[in-house]
Amino acid sequence: MAEEKTCQCGSQCEEESIKDESEIKLQKTVSDIKRKILVLSGKGGVGKSTVSANIAVGLAQKGYQVGLLDVDIHGPNIPNMLGLQGLIPLITDIGLFPIKAYENLQVISIGFFLEGKDTPVIWRGPLKHNMIKQFLTEVRWGKLDYLVVDSPPGTGDEVISVVQLLNKVDGAVIVATPQEVALADVRRSIRFCLEASVPVLGIVENMSGFVCPRCGDVIEIFKTGGAEKLAQEYNVPFLGKIPLDPRVVQGGDEGKPVLLYYPDSEPAKAFAKVVDQIAEALKI
Ligand SMILES: Nc1ncnc2c1ncn2[C@@H]1O[C@H](COP(=O)(O)OP(=O)(O)O)[C@@H](O)[C@H]1O
Ligand SMILES: [Mg+2]
C-alpha cells in the first residue's frame, strides 16, 4: 500500500513500509500498556534493580498485570534478582514472549539473550536504541496495567530511548542513597525528568539506616534524611526509606525478592508502602 502511495523507487519504499509496519506494531504495544513507570538513579549500585523488582512484584501481588523491562544493557541484573537466569524467551513468527516470573508478572531483559553471564555488551547509542525499540515492538506482553522499566545509572542513551519510544512515561521513581555525593546525582535525575516531561512519582531513599539485629539500634551508615529534604526542595513526593538489610542482598542473589520472601522484614514493609503510593498515584 505504501508503495502505491509514495513514489516509483521500489526498494526505498519497501524499507519505508517495513518502517511503517514497525511503527504500527510499536504503537499497538505501547497503547496496550496502561501505565508506564521508569525507575531511575544518578548512580549505579544504589538499588535501582532491587527497587524495580520489588515494585513490579508488589503491583503484581495486588492483582495487576505487570511487565518488567530491564534495559540495563551493560548490567542486566533482573533475571538473577527474580531467579530467572538461564531461561530463554520463546521467539516465534508473531514475536517474542516474555518470561513469566510469578502470577501476573512477566519479564524481559537483555540478560536473557547474552551467551554467558560474564559476556560484556559493547554497543553504541544507535544499536542500543534499536535493541530497545525491538524489545518494545516485538515483545508480546499482551495487555498490561503497569510496565516497570529498570534502567542503567544516569540519563544516557537507554533512558532517552525509553522515554522517546514509550511516547509518554507516566511517572519516574528516583532511587537515591542518603549521602551527599549520591544526592548531587539525584538532582540531575530530577532535572532530566523535568526536561523530558516525565512526572516524578517520587524519591526512594534506599540503604537508609541499618537496624542492628543484636541491639535493635539504628546505625545511620550513609546518614539519613537527605533524599527527603531534596524531595521537599523540588516539591516532589518522598516515597519512603528502605533500610539496609542483609535479607535484601540475599534475596537479590538468590532470586527471592524481599517483598515476597521476607514480608515481615522492615525493607519489605517499606517497599509495600512505596508500591501503595505508586498504585494510588497511577490508579488504573
Ligand atoms: N536496602 C538494601 N539493603 C541491603 N542491600 C541492598 C539494599 N538495596 C540494594 N542492595 C544490594 O545492593 C546491590 C546493588 O543493588 P542493585 O539493585 O543492583 O543496584 P543498581 O541497580 O542501582 O545498580 C545488590 O547486591 C543489592 O542486593
Ligand atoms: Mg541495576
Side-chain angles (χ1 to χ4, degrees):
M1 291 297 257
E3 277 147 286
E4 280 171 40
K5 234 182 5 197
T6 47
C7 67
Q8 290 92 35
C9 93
S11 65
Q12 237 179 23
C13 291
E14 214 170 282
E15 235 171 67
E16 282 302 314
S17 79
I18 291 171
K19 229 198 253 169
D20 283 353
E21 211 177 287
S22 94
E23 285 306 320
I24 292 167
K25 266 191 188 171
L26 178 64
Q27 278 170 17
K28 163 89 177 91
T29 310
V30 168
S31 67
D32 276 346
I33 305 169
K34 288 188 186 148
R35 303 280 185 267
K36 300 154 214 151
I37 301 165
L38 184 61
V39 181
L40 284 179
S41 79
K43 275 169 53 121
V46 297
K48 225 175 337 26
S49 300
T50 307
V51 170
S52 305
N54 281 285
I55 290 175
V57 161
L59 289 168
Q61 223 180 8
K62 284 180 180 290
Y64 297 112
Q65 288 302 325
V66 182
L68 175 56
L69 172 66
D70 175 11
V71 296
D72 190 349
I73 289 166
H74 301 285
N77 290 330
I78 290 293
N80 275 53
M81 284 190 174
L82 293 176
L84 307 172
Q85 64 274 35
L87 299 180
I88 299 170
L90 183 67
I91 303 174
T92 73
D93 288 348
I94 58 158
L96 179 70
F97 287 84
I99 302 272
K100 184 173 171 180
Y102 295 103
E103 198 56 42
N104 307 334
L105 177 59
Q106 309 175 67
V107 179
I108 205 84
S109 163
I110 178 69
F112 292 137
F113 303 95
L114 298 179
E115 275 169 27
K117 67 178 169 129
D118 304 324
T119 315
V121 177
I122 310 159
W123 286 351
R124 291 186 190 279
L127 260 184
K128 290 185 196 172
H129 181 83
N130 282 344
M131 207 232 42
I132 294 170
K133 185 170 182 185
Q134 213 174 1
F135 267 2
L136 288 172
T137 312
E138 298 299 332
V139 176
R140 301 277 83 93
W141 298 105
K143 292 204 184 294
L144 288 183
D145 294 314
Y146 294 98
L147 177 70
V148 179
V149 184
D150 181 24
S151 55
T155 48
D157 294 329
E158 294 89 329
V159 175
I160 295 169
S161 293
V162 168
V163 170
Q164 278 175 359
L165 293 165
L166 282 180
N167 186 18
K168 177 175 153 270
V169 172
D170 297 282
V173 174
I174 298 174
V175 184
T177 49
Q179 69 271 41
E180 292 299 329
V181 198
L183 294 177
D185 295 306
V186 181
R187 290 175 191 275
R188 271 191 281 277
S189 302
I190 298 178
R191 294 221 180 91
F192 169 81
C193 289
L194 293 174
E195 275 171 34
S197 303
V198 175
V200 178
L201 280 173
I203 305 179
V204 174
E205 183 171 281
N206 189 28
M207 306 189 181
S208 178
F210 170 72
V211 185
C212 172
R214 298 207 181 89
C215 67
D217 269 5
V218 178
I219 305 160
E220 308 292 3
I221 294 177
F222 295 128
K223 302 197 274 191
T224 186
E228 198 165 4
K229 267 197 228 137
L230 205 65
Q232 275 169 6
E233 188 191 318
Y234 283 90
N235 200 21
V236 296
F238 180 67
L239 300 174
K241 297 177 185 182
I242 318 287
L244 266 168
D245 190 308
R247 285 166 289 188
V248 178
V249 186
Q250 196 187 328
D253 288 349
E254 292 175 1
K256 297 176 175 170
V258 80
L259 190 59
L260 277 188
Y261 286 84
Y262 307 99
D264 296 327
S265 66
E266 289 307 318
K269 288 182 203 161
F271 274 130
K273 284 190 194 149
V274 171
V275 173
D276 285 347
Q277 291 172 82
I278 292 173
E280 182 60 32
L282 296 181
K283 264 202 196 120
I284 299 293

